[in-house]
C-alpha cells in the first residue's frame, strides 16, 4: 500500500537554555556536556531513520499566541514557519519548511473525527519547536525534512486533559495513515519534564515522578492518560503539565491501535538543565 506510515515517536524536553547553549557555542562546557551526550545516539538514529515528515507536537509560550487568542490545538498548514523573536532576536536556526498537503489532510481527517483544531496559515515558532529540532539534528544548514507544527495550549488554563491528548493521538494516527502517499512520518511529543518556573516552588524537580512517567509512557500509556491535571501540578510542578503533549505522540503509536509494542530505541534522563529536568525517549514502531 502506498500510504503514509508513522514509523517512530520521539519525546524530548525543550528547555530554551539548551538552544542558547548551542547558539552561543557553549555545548562543550562541563555543565552542558552530559546533556548533549544523551542526544549523540539520537542524532545518529535520526540520520539512520530519516523521516519524510515530522509531525511535531509542542507548545507555544505566548509567542505566536497571547491572551488575545488561545487555541487549544492548532495545526500549522503554512509552507514555512520562521523562528520567533522571543526577546533576544530569533535563534540562528533554519526556517522550518512545512508540509501543507499532509497538514491539510490531517486537519480534514482529525476535525471529521470530532476534534476541534485551529488552522494556522501563518505562525512563528518558538523554542518549544526549535529546541527539540536542535537536540535531534544539531546545527544543520537546513532541517532534514518538512515539519508540521502542532501547538497545544498548556500555558493558560483551561488546558486539555491527558486523556483528551491521548485520544487525539489516536485520531492523528488514523489521519496520517489515510494519506495516500508513501511518506515515513515521525511524531514528536515535546516539553516537560518536571519543572516550575515561578512562585515559591520555582526550581522544583521530581526525578521519581519523571522516571515513573517514562516507565508508564512506554508500558501503560492508556493508564497514564487517566492521570489528572492536579497530579502533574502537584508532583511535576506548574510547567510539568507540558508532559500531556507526550501522550499525543504516544497515542499515535501502533500498539495503541492493536499493533505490536514499540521498541525502546533510546532512553535518557538528566538533571538539571537550567531549572528543569530533561527527559528523552525514542520509540520505534515494529
Ligand atoms: C524554561 C522554559 C520552558 O518553556 C520550559 O519548558 C522549560 C524551561 C525556562 O525558561 O527555563
Ligand atoms: Fe516550555
Amino acid at each position: 500500500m502506498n500510504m503514509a506510515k508513522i514509523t517512530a515517536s520521539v519525546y524530548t524536553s525543550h528547555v530554551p537554555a539548551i538552544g542558547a547553549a548551542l547558539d552561543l557555542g557553549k555545548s562543550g562546557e562541563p555543565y552542558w556536556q552530559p546533556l548533549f551526550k544523551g542526544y549523540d545516539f539520537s542524532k545518529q538514529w535520526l540520520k539512520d531513520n530519516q523521516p519524510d515528515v515530522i509531525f511535531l507536537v509542542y507548545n507555544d509560550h505566548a509567542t505566536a499566541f497571547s491572551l488575545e487568542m488561545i487555541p487549544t490545538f492548532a495545526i500549522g498548514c503554512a509552507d514555512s514557519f520562521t523562528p520567533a523573536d522571543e526577546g533576544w532576536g530569533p535563534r540562528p536556526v533554519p526556517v522550518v519548511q512545512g508540509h501543507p498537503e499532509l497538514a491539510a489532510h490531517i486537519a480534514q481527517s482529525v476535525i471529521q473525527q470530532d476534534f476541534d483544531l485551529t488552522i494556522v496559515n501563518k505562525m512563528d515558532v518558538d523554542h518549544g519547536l526549535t529546541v527539540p529540532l536542535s537536540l535531534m539534528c544539531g546545527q544543520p544548514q537546513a532541517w532534514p525534512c518538512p515539519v508540521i507544527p502542532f501547538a497545544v495550549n498548556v500555558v493558560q488554563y483551561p488546558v486539555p486533559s491527558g486523556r483528551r491528548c491521548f485520544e487525539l493521538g489516536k485520531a492523528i494516527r488514523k489521519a496520517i495513515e489515510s494519506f495516500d502517499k508513501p511518506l515515513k512520518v515521525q511524531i514528536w511529543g515535546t516539553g516537560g519534564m518536571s519543572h516550575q518556573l515561578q512562585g515559591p516552588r520555582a526550581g522544583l524537580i521530581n526525578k521519581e515522578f519523571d522516571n515513573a512517567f517514562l516507565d508508564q509512557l512506554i508500558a501503560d500509556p492508556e493508564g497514564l492518560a487517566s492521570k489528572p491535571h492536579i497530579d502533574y501540578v502537584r508532583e511535576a510542578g506548574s510547567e510539568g503539565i507540558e508532559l500531556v503533549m507526550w501522550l499525543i505522540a504516544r497515542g499515535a503509536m501502533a500498539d495503541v491501535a492493536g499493533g505490536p509494542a514499540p521498541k525502546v530505541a533510546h532512553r535518557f534522563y538528566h538533571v538539571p538543565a537550567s531549572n528543569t529536568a530533561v527527559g528523552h525517549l525514542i520509540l520505534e514502531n515494529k
Side-chain angles (χ1 to χ4, degrees):
M1 289 285 280
N2 279 337
M3 308 298 272
K5 232 184 143 28
I6 295 180
T7 52
S9 52
V10 173
Y11 309 81
T12 180
S13 307
H14 63 213
V15 189
I18 294 172
L22 271 174
D23 300 343
L24 300 173
K26 295 184 175 176
S27 59
E29 289 185 359
Y31 179 85
W32 290 109
Q33 233 173 9
L35 173 102
F36 286 104
K37 206 162 149 30
Y39 288 82
D40 284 347
F41 173 92
S42 315
K43 284 187 276 220
Q44 188 57 47
W45 175 88
L46 189 63
K47 286 188 182 132
D48 296 342
N49 295 274
Q50 169 79 49
D52 297 308
V53 184
I54 295 167
F55 187 88
L56 204 159
V57 181
Y58 76 110
N59 69 290
D60 178 79
H61 300 76
T63 303
F65 307 121
S66 70
L67 289 176
E68 291 181 357
M69 205 185 328
I70 308 169
T72 303
F73 301 117
I75 184 164
C77 296
D79 281 322
S80 64
F81 305 89
T82 305
D85 183 347
E86 298 180 60
W88 295 270
R91 289 192 61 211
V93 294
V95 168
V96 175
Q97 301 303 321
H99 197 303
E101 197 190 349
L102 178 58
H105 169 82
I106 295 170
Q108 160 77 19
S109 170
V110 169
I111 290 170
Q112 290 302 315
Q113 292 178 70
D114 302 334
F115 284 90
D116 304 319
L117 304 186
T118 299
I119 312 266
V120 181
N121 292 318
K122 186 176 191 313
M123 175 166 70
D124 288 352
V125 285
D126 73 11
H127 68 271
L129 184 128
T130 61
V131 167
L133 283 171
S134 295
L135 280 168
M136 293 296 295
C137 309
Q139 295 171 292
Q141 287 301 307
W143 300 120
C145 67
V147 174
I148 298 174
F150 191 86
V152 180
N153 169 41
V154 287
V155 167
Q156 177 62 40
Y157 277 79
V159 302
S161 67
R163 166 68 50 203
R164 184 157 172 78
C165 288
F166 191 62
E167 295 300 324
L168 173 60
K170 296 182 193 174
I172 290 169
R173 173 183 182 77
K174 281 192 196 151
I176 289 173
E177 301 213 334
S178 64
F179 186 67
D180 63 356
K181 296 226 164 95
L183 300 177
K184 284 178 282 174
V185 181
Q186 288 180 7
I187 181 162
W188 293 12
T190 70
M193 295 196 86
S194 57
H195 62 301
Q196 172 142 348
L197 302 176
Q198 62 221 305
R201 295 203 306 166
L204 176 145
I205 285 176
N206 185 342
K207 288 188 203 176
E208 289 70 33
F209 174 92
D210 290 338
N211 281 289
F213 185 94
L214 291 170
D215 289 343
Q216 203 178 2
L217 188 75
I218 294 166
D220 176 29
E222 189 80 49
L224 184 60
S226 61
K227 186 185 286 297
H229 285 135
I230 193 68
D231 287 14
Y232 288 94
V233 177
R234 280 196 185 118
E235 299 195 43
S238 51
E239 277 67 45
I241 192 65
E242 288 184 344
L243 282 169
V244 293
M245 296 185 289
W246 295 30
L247 284 164
I248 297 179
R250 188 65 183 88
M253 291 297 282
D255 61 326
V256 178
K263 176 184 161 193
V264 182
H266 186 50
R267 176 173 174 164
F268 175 66
Y269 184 74
H270 176 77
V271 288
S274 181
N275 294 307
T276 96
V278 168
H280 174 40
L281 203 56
I282 300 177
L283 301 182
E284 290 174 7
N285 275 331
K286 285 196 249 177

